[in-house]
PDB file of all heavy atoms in Angstrom:
ATOM      1  N   VAL A 593      77.336  93.515  90.929  1.00  0.00           N
ATOM      2  CA  VAL A 593      78.627  93.398  91.287  1.00  0.00           C
ATOM      3  C   VAL A 593      79.426  92.843  90.267  1.00  0.00           C
ATOM      4  O   VAL A 593      79.050  92.284  89.196  1.00  0.00           O
ATOM      5  CB  VAL A 593      78.504  92.319  92.502  1.00  0.00           C
ATOM      6  CG1 VAL A 593      77.677  92.717  93.631  1.00  0.00           C
ATOM      7  CG2 VAL A 593      78.110  90.891  92.053  1.00  0.00           C
ATOM      8  N   VAL A 594      80.771  92.859  90.417  1.00  0.00           N
ATOM      9  CA  VAL A 594      81.698  92.407  89.343  1.00  0.00           C
ATOM     10  C   VAL A 594      81.606  90.995  89.199  1.00  0.00           C
ATOM     11  O   VAL A 594      81.367  90.225  90.090  1.00  0.00           O
ATOM     12  CB  VAL A 594      83.250  92.908  89.714  1.00  0.00           C
ATOM     13  CG1 VAL A 594      83.325  94.422  89.732  1.00  0.00           C
ATOM     14  CG2 VAL A 594      83.656  92.229  90.980  1.00  0.00           C
ATOM     15  N   PRO A 595      81.683  90.418  87.993  1.00  0.00           N
ATOM     16  CA  PRO A 595      81.605  89.070  87.750  1.00  0.00           C
ATOM     17  C   PRO A 595      82.842  88.285  88.141  1.00  0.00           C
ATOM     18  O   PRO A 595      83.927  88.887  88.405  1.00  0.00           O
ATOM     19  CB  PRO A 595      81.423  88.872  86.179  1.00  0.00           C
ATOM     20  CG  PRO A 595      82.059  90.121  85.663  1.00  0.00           C
ATOM     21  CD  PRO A 595      81.872  91.266  86.689  1.00  0.00           C
ATOM     22  N   GLU A 596      82.770  86.954  88.320  1.00  0.00           N
ATOM     23  CA  GLU A 596      83.810  86.003  88.594  1.00  0.00           C
ATOM     24  C   GLU A 596      84.593  86.401  89.855  1.00  0.00           C
ATOM     25  O   GLU A 596      85.740  86.277  89.938  1.00  0.00           O
ATOM     26  CB  GLU A 596      84.772  85.935  87.413  1.00  0.00           C
ATOM     27  CG  GLU A 596      84.154  85.540  86.079  1.00  0.00           C
ATOM     28  CD  GLU A 596      85.107  85.335  84.983  1.00  0.00           C
ATOM     29  OE1 GLU A 596      86.248  85.361  85.118  1.00  0.00           O
ATOM     30  OE2 GLU A 596      84.626  85.245  83.780  1.00  0.00           O
ATOM     31  N   SER A 597      83.832  86.871  90.911  1.00  0.00           N
ATOM     32  CA  SER A 597      84.437  87.161  92.160  1.00  0.00           C
ATOM     33  C   SER A 597      83.540  86.611  93.244  1.00  0.00           C
ATOM     34  O   SER A 597      82.371  87.086  93.420  1.00  0.00           O
ATOM     35  CB  SER A 597      84.574  88.746  92.293  1.00  0.00           C
ATOM     36  OG  SER A 597      84.905  89.064  93.742  1.00  0.00           O
ATOM     37  N   VAL A 598      83.992  85.706  94.042  1.00  0.00           N
ATOM     38  CA  VAL A 598      83.277  85.142  95.173  1.00  0.00           C
ATOM     39  C   VAL A 598      83.030  86.203  96.199  1.00  0.00           C
ATOM     40  O   VAL A 598      81.938  86.264  96.772  1.00  0.00           O
ATOM     41  CB  VAL A 598      84.020  83.958  95.754  1.00  0.00           C
ATOM     42  CG1 VAL A 598      83.250  83.431  96.989  1.00  0.00           C
ATOM     43  CG2 VAL A 598      84.263  82.855  94.643  1.00  0.00           C
ATOM     44  N   ASP A 599      84.049  86.986  96.527  1.00  0.00           N
ATOM     45  CA  ASP A 599      83.880  88.056  97.530  1.00  0.00           C
ATOM     46  C   ASP A 599      82.718  89.086  97.183  1.00  0.00           C
ATOM     47  O   ASP A 599      81.912  89.437  97.936  1.00  0.00           O
ATOM     48  CB  ASP A 599      85.234  88.890  97.655  1.00  0.00           C
ATOM     49  CG  ASP A 599      86.303  87.990  98.219  1.00  0.00           C
ATOM     50  OD1 ASP A 599      85.932  86.987  98.952  1.00  0.00           O
ATOM     51  OD2 ASP A 599      87.481  88.374  98.154  1.00  0.00           O
ATOM     52  N   ALA A 600      82.846  89.442  95.828  1.00  0.00           N
ATOM     53  CA  ALA A 600      81.774  90.455  95.371  1.00  0.00           C
ATOM     54  C   ALA A 600      80.403  89.809  95.500  1.00  0.00           C
ATOM     55  O   ALA A 600      79.459  90.510  95.905  1.00  0.00           O
ATOM     56  CB  ALA A 600      82.169  90.963  93.991  1.00  0.00           C
ATOM     57  N   LEU A 601      80.280  88.684  94.974  1.00  0.00           N
ATOM     58  CA  LEU A 601      78.956  88.044  94.868  1.00  0.00           C
ATOM     59  C   LEU A 601      78.390  87.815  96.298  1.00  0.00           C
ATOM     60  O   LEU A 601      77.257  88.045  96.646  1.00  0.00           O
ATOM     61  CB  LEU A 601      79.053  86.657  94.226  1.00  0.00           C
ATOM     62  CG  LEU A 601      77.748  85.887  94.013  1.00  0.00           C
ATOM     63  CD1 LEU A 601      76.735  86.734  93.237  1.00  0.00           C
ATOM     64  CD2 LEU A 601      77.939  84.655  93.255  1.00  0.00           C
ATOM     65  N   GLU A 602      79.272  87.285  97.224  1.00  0.00           N
ATOM     66  CA  GLU A 602      78.817  87.152  98.621  1.00  0.00           C
ATOM     67  C   GLU A 602      78.383  88.550  99.254  1.00  0.00           C
ATOM     68  O   GLU A 602      77.298  88.646  99.935  1.00  0.00           O
ATOM     69  CB  GLU A 602      79.909  86.522  99.535  1.00  0.00           C
ATOM     70  CG  GLU A 602      79.575  86.268 100.910  1.00  0.00           C
ATOM     71  CD  GLU A 602      80.653  85.669 101.737  1.00  0.00           C
ATOM     72  OE1 GLU A 602      81.793  85.967 101.336  1.00  0.00           O
ATOM     73  OE2 GLU A 602      80.373  84.945 102.690  1.00  0.00           O
ATOM     74  N   ALA A 603      79.183  89.559  99.008  1.00  0.00           N
ATOM     75  CA  ALA A 603      78.888  90.830  99.570  1.00  0.00           C
ATOM     76  C   ALA A 603      77.487  91.300  99.014  1.00  0.00           C
ATOM     77  O   ALA A 603      76.734  91.831  99.757  1.00  0.00           O
ATOM     78  CB  ALA A 603      79.993  91.865  99.378  1.00  0.00           C
ATOM     79  N   GLY A 604      77.291  91.107  97.767  1.00  0.00           N
ATOM     80  CA  GLY A 604      76.125  91.651  97.079  1.00  0.00           C
ATOM     81  C   GLY A 604      74.820  90.863  97.724  1.00  0.00           C
ATOM     82  O   GLY A 604      73.793  91.470  97.947  1.00  0.00           O
ATOM     83  N   ILE A 605      75.062  89.542  97.798  1.00  0.00           N
ATOM     84  CA  ILE A 605      73.884  88.764  98.409  1.00  0.00           C
ATOM     85  C   ILE A 605      73.509  89.225  99.854  1.00  0.00           C
ATOM     86  O   ILE A 605      72.374  89.406 100.227  1.00  0.00           O
ATOM     87  CB  ILE A 605      74.146  87.236  98.315  1.00  0.00           C
ATOM     88  CG1 ILE A 605      74.209  86.795  96.854  1.00  0.00           C
ATOM     89  CG2 ILE A 605      73.217  86.512  99.223  1.00  0.00           C
ATOM     90  CD1 ILE A 605      74.774  85.392  96.748  1.00  0.00           C
ATOM     91  N   LEU A 606      74.645  89.403 100.679  1.00  0.00           N
ATOM     92  CA  LEU A 606      74.391  89.786 101.996  1.00  0.00           C
ATOM     93  C   LEU A 606      73.777  91.175 102.160  1.00  0.00           C
ATOM     94  O   LEU A 606      72.927  91.439 102.974  1.00  0.00           O
ATOM     95  CB  LEU A 606      75.703  89.766 102.770  1.00  0.00           C
ATOM     96  CG  LEU A 606      76.364  88.340 102.905  1.00  0.00           C
ATOM     97  CD1 LEU A 606      77.635  88.401 103.617  1.00  0.00           C
ATOM     98  CD2 LEU A 606      75.313  87.434 103.737  1.00  0.00           C
ATOM     99  N   GLU A 607      74.184  92.128 101.134  1.00  0.00           N
ATOM    100  CA  GLU A 607      73.549  93.470 101.215  1.00  0.00           C
ATOM    101  C   GLU A 607      72.087  93.471 100.927  1.00  0.00           C
ATOM    102  O   GLU A 607      71.335  94.099 101.513  1.00  0.00           O
ATOM    103  CB  GLU A 607      74.385  94.328 100.280  1.00  0.00           C
ATOM    104  CG  GLU A 607      73.903  95.776 100.269  1.00  0.00           C
ATOM    105  CD  GLU A 607      74.792  96.743  99.446  1.00  0.00           C
ATOM    106  OE1 GLU A 607      75.960  96.254  99.190  1.00  0.00           O
ATOM    107  OE2 GLU A 607      74.409  97.793  99.102  1.00  0.00           O
ATOM    108  N   VAL A 608      71.818  92.570  99.971  1.00  0.00           N
ATOM    109  CA  VAL A 608      70.310  92.465  99.618  1.00  0.00           C
ATOM    110  C   VAL A 608      69.621  91.865 100.765  1.00  0.00           C
ATOM    111  O   VAL A 608      68.483  92.292 101.042  1.00  0.00           O
ATOM    112  CB  VAL A 608      70.130  91.701  98.300  1.00  0.00           C
ATOM    113  CG1 VAL A 608      68.674  91.415  98.060  1.00  0.00           C
ATOM    114  CG2 VAL A 608      70.668  92.469  97.069  1.00  0.00           C
ATOM    115  N   LEU A 609      70.174  90.849 101.404  1.00  0.00           N
ATOM    116  CA  LEU A 609      69.463  90.214 102.470  1.00  0.00           C
ATOM    117  C   LEU A 609      69.139  91.062 103.664  1.00  0.00           C
ATOM    118  O   LEU A 609      68.279  90.951 104.474  1.00  0.00           O
ATOM    119  CB  LEU A 609      70.239  88.963 102.938  1.00  0.00           C
ATOM    120  CG  LEU A 609      70.193  87.803 102.039  1.00  0.00           C
ATOM    121  CD1 LEU A 609      71.072  86.601 102.520  1.00  0.00           C
ATOM    122  CD2 LEU A 609      68.680  87.159 102.028  1.00  0.00           C
ATOM    123  N   ASP A 610      70.033  92.181 103.780  1.00  0.00           N
ATOM    124  CA  ASP A 610      69.924  93.086 104.942  1.00  0.00           C
ATOM    125  C   ASP A 610      68.691  94.064 104.528  1.00  0.00           C
ATOM    126  O   ASP A 610      68.261  94.693 105.630  1.00  0.00           O
ATOM    127  CB  ASP A 610      71.204  93.927 105.037  1.00  0.00           C
ATOM    128  CG  ASP A 610      72.293  93.249 105.700  1.00  0.00           C
ATOM    129  OD1 ASP A 610      71.977  92.211 106.330  1.00  0.00           O
ATOM    130  OD2 ASP A 610      73.491  93.558 105.548  1.00  0.00           O
ATOM    131  N   ALA A 611      68.291  94.044 103.388  1.00  0.00           N
ATOM    132  CA  ALA A 611      67.033  94.943 103.049  1.00  0.00           C
ATOM    133  C   ALA A 611      65.774  94.095 103.370  1.00  0.00           C
ATOM    134  O   ALA A 611      65.738  92.979 103.847  1.00  0.00           O
ATOM    135  CB  ALA A 611      67.143  95.309 101.660  1.00  0.00           C
ATOM    136  N   ASP A 612      64.636  94.813 103.185  1.00  0.00           N
ATOM    137  CA  ASP A 612      63.277  94.044 103.364  1.00  0.00           C
ATOM    138  C   ASP A 612      62.948  93.347 102.134  1.00  0.00           C
ATOM    139  O   ASP A 612      62.273  93.717 101.283  1.00  0.00           O
ATOM    140  CB  ASP A 612      62.310  95.161 103.561  1.00  0.00           C
ATOM    141  CG  ASP A 612      60.872  94.700 103.780  1.00  0.00           C
ATOM    142  OD1 ASP A 612      60.811  93.364 104.043  1.00  0.00           O
ATOM    143  OD2 ASP A 612      59.886  95.327 103.720  1.00  0.00           O
ATOM    144  N   THR A 613      63.497  92.079 102.059  1.00  0.00           N
ATOM    145  CA  THR A 613      63.280  91.218 100.916  1.00  0.00           C
ATOM    146  C   THR A 613      61.829  90.639 100.815  1.00  0.00           C
ATOM    147  O   THR A 613      61.437  90.093  99.907  1.00  0.00           O
ATOM    148  CB  THR A 613      64.286  90.098 100.840  1.00  0.00           C
ATOM    149  OG1 THR A 613      64.151  89.201 101.928  1.00  0.00           O
ATOM    150  CG2 THR A 613      65.675  90.609 100.705  1.00  0.00           C
ATOM    151  N   ARG A 614      61.120  90.753 101.940  1.00  0.00           N
ATOM    152  CA  ARG A 614      59.700  90.160 101.972  1.00  0.00           C
ATOM    153  C   ARG A 614      58.724  91.170 101.233  1.00  0.00           C
ATOM    154  O   ARG A 614      57.553  90.717 101.096  1.00  0.00           O
ATOM    155  CB  ARG A 614      59.313  89.781 103.421  1.00  0.00           C
ATOM    156  CG  ARG A 614      60.136  88.774 103.993  1.00  0.00           C
ATOM    157  CD  ARG A 614      59.907  87.463 103.288  1.00  0.00           C
ATOM    158  NE  ARG A 614      60.985  86.432 103.652  1.00  0.00           N
ATOM    159  CZ  ARG A 614      60.781  85.557 104.711  1.00  0.00           C
ATOM    160  NH1 ARG A 614      59.706  85.635 105.422  1.00  0.00           N
ATOM    161  NH2 ARG A 614      61.732  84.653 104.853  1.00  0.00           N
ATOM    162  N   SER A 615      59.145  92.416 101.118  1.00  0.00           N
ATOM    163  CA  SER A 615      58.298  93.330 100.300  1.00  0.00           C
ATOM    164  C   SER A 615      58.846  93.433  98.850  1.00  0.00           C
ATOM    165  O   SER A 615      60.051  93.340  98.630  1.00  0.00           O
ATOM    166  CB  SER A 615      58.373  94.783 100.951  1.00  0.00           C
ATOM    167  OG  SER A 615      57.905  94.735 102.260  1.00  0.00           O
ATOM    168  N   PRO A 616      57.836  93.600  97.859  1.00  0.00           N
ATOM    169  CA  PRO A 616      58.381  93.700  96.528  1.00  0.00           C
ATOM    170  C   PRO A 616      59.257  94.864  96.239  1.00  0.00           C
ATOM    171  O   PRO A 616      59.146  95.939  96.837  1.00  0.00           O
ATOM    172  CB  PRO A 616      57.035  93.755  95.678  1.00  0.00           C
ATOM    173  CG  PRO A 616      56.119  94.295  96.739  1.00  0.00           C
ATOM    174  CD  PRO A 616      56.591  93.847  98.032  1.00  0.00           C
ATOM    175  N   ASN A 617      60.148  94.619  95.254  1.00  0.00           N
ATOM    176  CA  ASN A 617      60.955  95.758  94.755  1.00  0.00           C
ATOM    177  C   ASN A 617      60.149  96.562  93.739  1.00  0.00           C
ATOM    178  O   ASN A 617      59.962  96.138  92.539  1.00  0.00           O
ATOM    179  CB  ASN A 617      62.190  95.220  94.044  1.00  0.00           C
ATOM    180  CG  ASN A 617      63.160  96.237  93.543  1.00  0.00           C
ATOM    181  OD1 ASN A 617      62.846  97.356  93.391  1.00  0.00           O
ATOM    182  ND2 ASN A 617      64.416  95.841  93.360  1.00  0.00           N
ATOM    183  N   LEU A 618      59.658  97.706  94.118  1.00  0.00           N
ATOM    184  CA  LEU A 618      58.702  98.432  93.258  1.00  0.00           C
ATOM    185  C   LEU A 618      59.385  99.087  92.079  1.00  0.00           C
ATOM    186  O   LEU A 618      58.728  99.274  91.111  1.00  0.00           O
ATOM    187  CB  LEU A 618      57.980  99.496  94.180  1.00  0.00           C
ATOM    188  CG  LEU A 618      57.164  98.931  95.291  1.00  0.00           C
ATOM    189  CD1 LEU A 618      56.461 100.043  96.048  1.00  0.00           C
ATOM    190  CD2 LEU A 618      56.070  97.955  94.799  1.00  0.00           C
ATOM    191  N   ILE A 619      60.630  99.329  92.173  1.00  0.00           N
ATOM    192  CA  ILE A 619      61.420  99.868  91.151  1.00  0.00           C
ATOM    193  C   ILE A 619      61.551  98.921  89.939  1.00  0.00           C
ATOM    194  O   ILE A 619      61.312  99.304  88.750  1.00  0.00           O
ATOM    195  CB  ILE A 619      62.908 100.322  91.608  1.00  0.00           C
ATOM    196  CG1 ILE A 619      62.792 101.471  92.632  1.00  0.00           C
ATOM    197  CG2 ILE A 619      63.644 100.872  90.324  1.00  0.00           C
ATOM    198  CD1 ILE A 619      64.103 101.839  93.241  1.00  0.00           C
ATOM    199  N   ALA A 620      61.823  97.714  90.298  1.00  0.00           N
ATOM    200  CA  ALA A 620      61.898  96.581  89.421  1.00  0.00           C
ATOM    201  C   ALA A 620      60.507  96.305  88.755  1.00  0.00           C
ATOM    202  O   ALA A 620      60.383  96.261  87.496  1.00  0.00           O
ATOM    203  CB  ALA A 620      62.396  95.323  90.053  1.00  0.00           C
ATOM    204  N   ARG A 621      59.445  96.291  89.572  1.00  0.00           N
ATOM    205  CA  ARG A 621      58.094  96.084  89.006  1.00  0.00           C
ATOM    206  C   ARG A 621      57.684  97.139  88.157  1.00  0.00           C
ATOM    207  O   ARG A 621      57.162  96.934  86.981  1.00  0.00           O
ATOM    208  CB  ARG A 621      57.078  95.987  90.189  1.00  0.00           C
ATOM    209  CG  ARG A 621      55.670  95.863  89.776  1.00  0.00           C
ATOM    210  CD  ARG A 621      55.402  94.625  89.066  1.00  0.00           C
ATOM    211  NE  ARG A 621      53.889  94.639  88.588  1.00  0.00           N
ATOM    212  CZ  ARG A 621      53.439  93.596  87.878  1.00  0.00           C
ATOM    213  NH1 ARG A 621      54.106  92.616  87.486  1.00  0.00           N
ATOM    214  NH2 ARG A 621      52.116  93.709  87.512  1.00  0.00           N
ATOM    215  N   GLN A 622      57.978  98.373  88.377  1.00  0.00           N
ATOM    216  CA  GLN A 622      57.567  99.494  87.624  1.00  0.00           C
ATOM    217  C   GLN A 622      58.372  99.462  86.242  1.00  0.00           C
ATOM    218  O   GLN A 622      57.755  99.802  85.212  1.00  0.00           O
ATOM    219  CB  GLN A 622      57.897 100.818  88.204  1.00  0.00           C
ATOM    220  CG  GLN A 622      57.360 102.120  87.507  1.00  0.00           C
ATOM    221  CD  GLN A 622      57.584 103.314  88.333  1.00  0.00           C
ATOM    222  OE1 GLN A 622      58.586 103.530  89.033  1.00  0.00           O
ATOM    223  NE2 GLN A 622      56.577 104.212  88.220  1.00  0.00           N
ATOM    224  N   TYR A 623      59.506  99.113  86.224  1.00  0.00           N
ATOM    225  CA  TYR A 623      60.307  99.054  85.021  1.00  0.00           C
ATOM    226  C   TYR A 623      59.726  97.940  84.171  1.00  0.00           C
ATOM    227  O   TYR A 623      59.638  98.229  82.946  1.00  0.00           O
ATOM    228  CB  TYR A 623      61.787  98.713  85.354  1.00  0.00           C
ATOM    229  CG  TYR A 623      62.605  98.547  84.106  1.00  0.00           C
ATOM    230  CD1 TYR A 623      63.243  99.689  83.594  1.00  0.00           C
ATOM    231  CD2 TYR A 623      62.819  97.352  83.465  1.00  0.00           C
ATOM    232  CE1 TYR A 623      64.067  99.519  82.408  1.00  0.00           C
ATOM    233  CE2 TYR A 623      63.575  97.349  82.171  1.00  0.00           C
ATOM    234  CZ  TYR A 623      64.183  98.336  81.804  1.00  0.00           C
ATOM    235  OH  TYR A 623      64.944  98.283  80.658  1.00  0.00           O
ATOM    236  N   ALA A 624      59.356  96.790  84.668  1.00  0.00           N
ATOM    237  CA  ALA A 624      58.793  95.777  83.909  1.00  0.00           C
ATOM    238  C   ALA A 624      57.335  96.165  83.235  1.00  0.00           C
ATOM    239  O   ALA A 624      57.182  95.909  82.134  1.00  0.00           O
ATOM    240  CB  ALA A 624      58.560  94.521  84.703  1.00  0.00           C
ATOM    241  N   GLU A 625      56.651  96.917  84.060  1.00  0.00           N
ATOM    242  CA  GLU A 625      55.281  97.381  83.411  1.00  0.00           C
ATOM    243  C   GLU A 625      55.537  98.391  82.367  1.00  0.00           C
ATOM    244  O   GLU A 625      54.735  98.334  81.389  1.00  0.00           O
ATOM    245  CB  GLU A 625      54.515  98.008  84.639  1.00  0.00           C
ATOM    246  CG  GLU A 625      54.071  96.984  85.704  1.00  0.00           C
ATOM    247  CD  GLU A 625      53.357  97.668  86.812  1.00  0.00           C
ATOM    248  OE1 GLU A 625      53.672  98.805  87.178  1.00  0.00           O
ATOM    249  OE2 GLU A 625      52.457  97.066  87.453  1.00  0.00           O
ATOM    250  N   GLN A 626      56.468  99.230  82.545  1.00  0.00           N
ATOM    251  CA  GLN A 626      56.681 100.394  81.450  1.00  0.00           C
ATOM    252  C   GLN A 626      57.447  99.891  80.320  1.00  0.00           C
ATOM    253  O   GLN A 626      57.288 100.357  79.202  1.00  0.00           O
ATOM    254  CB  GLN A 626      57.348 101.525  82.220  1.00  0.00           C
ATOM    255  CG  GLN A 626      56.616 102.164  83.280  1.00  0.00           C
ATOM    256  CD  GLN A 626      57.354 103.369  83.891  1.00  0.00           C
ATOM    257  OE1 GLN A 626      58.469 103.431  83.680  1.00  0.00           O
ATOM    258  NE2 GLN A 626      56.672 104.053  84.825  1.00  0.00           N
ATOM    259  N   HIS A 627      58.352  98.943  80.364  1.00  0.00           N
ATOM    260  CA  HIS A 627      59.297  98.633  79.275  1.00  0.00           C
ATOM    261  C   HIS A 627      59.155  97.200  78.738  1.00  0.00           C
ATOM    262  O   HIS A 627      59.534  96.978  77.644  1.00  0.00           O
ATOM    263  CB  HIS A 627      60.775  98.908  79.706  1.00  0.00           C
ATOM    264  CG  HIS A 627      60.935 100.284  80.118  1.00  0.00           C
ATOM    265  ND1 HIS A 627      61.190 101.340  79.252  1.00  0.00           N
ATOM    266  CD2 HIS A 627      61.059 100.861  81.336  1.00  0.00           C
ATOM    267  CE1 HIS A 627      61.498 102.417  79.857  1.00  0.00           C
ATOM    268  NE2 HIS A 627      61.405 102.185  81.144  1.00  0.00           N
ATOM    269  N   LEU A 628      58.580  96.333  79.550  1.00  0.00           N
ATOM    270  CA  LEU A 628      58.614  94.873  79.112  1.00  0.00           C
ATOM    271  C   LEU A 628      57.255  94.266  78.965  1.00  0.00           C
ATOM    272  O   LEU A 628      57.291  92.957  78.745  1.00  0.00           O
ATOM    273  CB  LEU A 628      59.544  94.034  80.177  1.00  0.00           C
ATOM    274  CG  LEU A 628      60.927  94.642  80.534  1.00  0.00           C
ATOM    275  CD1 LEU A 628      61.613  93.765  81.602  1.00  0.00           C
ATOM    276  CD2 LEU A 628      61.775  94.639  79.139  1.00  0.00           C
ATOM    277  N   GLU A 629      56.212  94.912  79.132  1.00  0.00           N
ATOM    278  CA  GLU A 629      54.847  94.260  79.108  1.00  0.00           C
ATOM    279  C   GLU A 629      54.699  93.564  77.864  1.00  0.00           C
ATOM    280  O   GLU A 629      54.835  94.055  76.718  1.00  0.00           O
ATOM    281  CB  GLU A 629      53.874  95.327  79.371  1.00  0.00           C
ATOM    282  CG  GLU A 629      52.374  94.838  79.000  1.00  0.00           C
ATOM    283  CD  GLU A 629      51.986  93.585  79.685  1.00  0.00           C
ATOM    284  OE1 GLU A 629      52.372  93.436  80.888  1.00  0.00           O
ATOM    285  OE2 GLU A 629      51.263  92.801  78.987  1.00  0.00           O
ATOM    286  N   LYS A 630      54.358  92.259  77.944  1.00  0.00           N
ATOM    287  CA  LYS A 630      54.241  91.402  76.828  1.00  0.00           C
ATOM    288  C   LYS A 630      53.314  91.937  75.700  1.00  0.00           C
ATOM    289  O   LYS A 630      53.759  91.919  74.468  1.00  0.00           O
ATOM    290  CB  LYS A 630      53.727  89.983  77.257  1.00  0.00           C
ATOM    291  CG  LYS A 630      53.569  88.941  76.203  1.00  0.00           C
ATOM    292  CD  LYS A 630      53.022  87.645  76.704  1.00  0.00           C
ATOM    293  CE  LYS A 630      52.810  86.610  75.717  1.00  0.00           C
ATOM    294  NZ  LYS A 630      52.275  85.298  76.312  1.00  0.00           N
ATOM    295  N   SER A 631      52.103  92.392  75.969  1.00  0.00           N
ATOM    296  CA  SER A 631      51.217  92.744  74.990  1.00  0.00           C
ATOM    297  C   SER A 631      51.744  93.903  74.146  1.00  0.00           C
ATOM    298  O   SER A 631      51.669  94.014  72.930  1.00  0.00           O
ATOM    299  CB  SER A 631      49.871  93.033  75.564  1.00  0.00           C
ATOM    300  OG  SER A 631      49.919  94.089  76.535  1.00  0.00           O
ATOM    301  N   ILE A 632      52.422  94.873  74.899  1.00  0.00           N
ATOM    302  CA  ILE A 632      52.956  95.998  74.227  1.00  0.00           C
ATOM    303  C   ILE A 632      54.138  95.680  73.340  1.00  0.00           C
ATOM    304  O   ILE A 632      54.218  96.134  72.134  1.00  0.00           O
ATOM    305  CB  ILE A 632      53.329  97.096  75.258  1.00  0.00           C
ATOM    306  CG1 ILE A 632      52.039  97.580  76.094  1.00  0.00           C
ATOM    307  CG2 ILE A 632      53.968  98.289  74.615  1.00  0.00           C
ATOM    308  CD1 ILE A 632      52.414  98.519  77.122  1.00  0.00           C
ATOM    309  N   VAL A 633      55.025  94.892  73.881  1.00  0.00           N
ATOM    310  CA  VAL A 633      56.301  94.624  73.073  1.00  0.00           C
ATOM    311  C   VAL A 633      55.940  93.709  71.854  1.00  0.00           C
ATOM    312  O   VAL A 633      56.440  93.985  70.751  1.00  0.00           O
ATOM    313  CB  VAL A 633      57.333  93.913  73.945  1.00  0.00           C
ATOM    314  CG1 VAL A 633      58.520  93.501  73.169  1.00  0.00           C
ATOM    315  CG2 VAL A 633      57.793  94.798  75.145  1.00  0.00           C
ATOM    316  N   LEU A 634      55.130  92.756  72.133  1.00  0.00           N
ATOM    317  CA  LEU A 634      54.624  91.904  70.935  1.00  0.00           C
ATOM    318  C   LEU A 634      53.950  92.620  69.814  1.00  0.00           C
ATOM    319  O   LEU A 634      54.078  92.387  68.643  1.00  0.00           O
ATOM    320  CB  LEU A 634      53.813  90.717  71.464  1.00  0.00           C
ATOM    321  CG  LEU A 634      54.628  89.566  71.985  1.00  0.00           C
ATOM    322  CD1 LEU A 634      53.644  88.428  72.657  1.00  0.00           C
ATOM    323  CD2 LEU A 634      55.482  88.958  70.993  1.00  0.00           C
ATOM    324  N   GLU A 635      53.041  93.592  70.247  1.00  0.00           N
ATOM    325  CA  GLU A 635      52.366  94.405  69.257  1.00  0.00           C
ATOM    326  C   GLU A 635      53.401  95.257  68.407  1.00  0.00           C
ATOM    327  O   GLU A 635      53.276  95.363  67.274  1.00  0.00           O
ATOM    328  CB  GLU A 635      51.384  95.387  69.928  1.00  0.00           C
ATOM    329  CG  GLU A 635      50.575  96.200  68.987  1.00  0.00           C
ATOM    330  CD  GLU A 635      49.545  97.094  69.715  1.00  0.00           C
ATOM    331  OE1 GLU A 635      49.529  97.159  70.876  1.00  0.00           O
ATOM    332  OE2 GLU A 635      48.782  97.866  68.857  1.00  0.00           O
TER     333      GLU A 635
END
């Protein structure tokens, strides 16, 4: 969402809350495994 906007931040939070937040975000997890894994980046 655009920065420095209370309206945008509130709308973004509510939109995410409408989703299934109790299940993991697999897109985020997969990105971390593929691009940010500590052992790979440090090597």
Side-chain angles (χ1 to χ4, degrees):
V593 302
V594 296
E596 301 182 13
S597 168
V598 179
D599 291 339
L601 182 56
E602 180 182 29
I605 291 171
L606 293 178
E607 183 169 342
V608 173
L609 285 174
D610 285 340
D612 179 15
T613 58
R614 296 295 168 90
S615 298
N617 182 342
L618 297 180
I619 298 172
R621 173 65 183 180
Q622 185 178 39
Y623 181 89
E625 291 175 331
Q626 293 179 352
H627 301 280
L628 305 176
E629 165 53 35
K630 179 180 178 179
S631 60
I632 296 174
V633 178
L634 278 175
E635 182 178 4

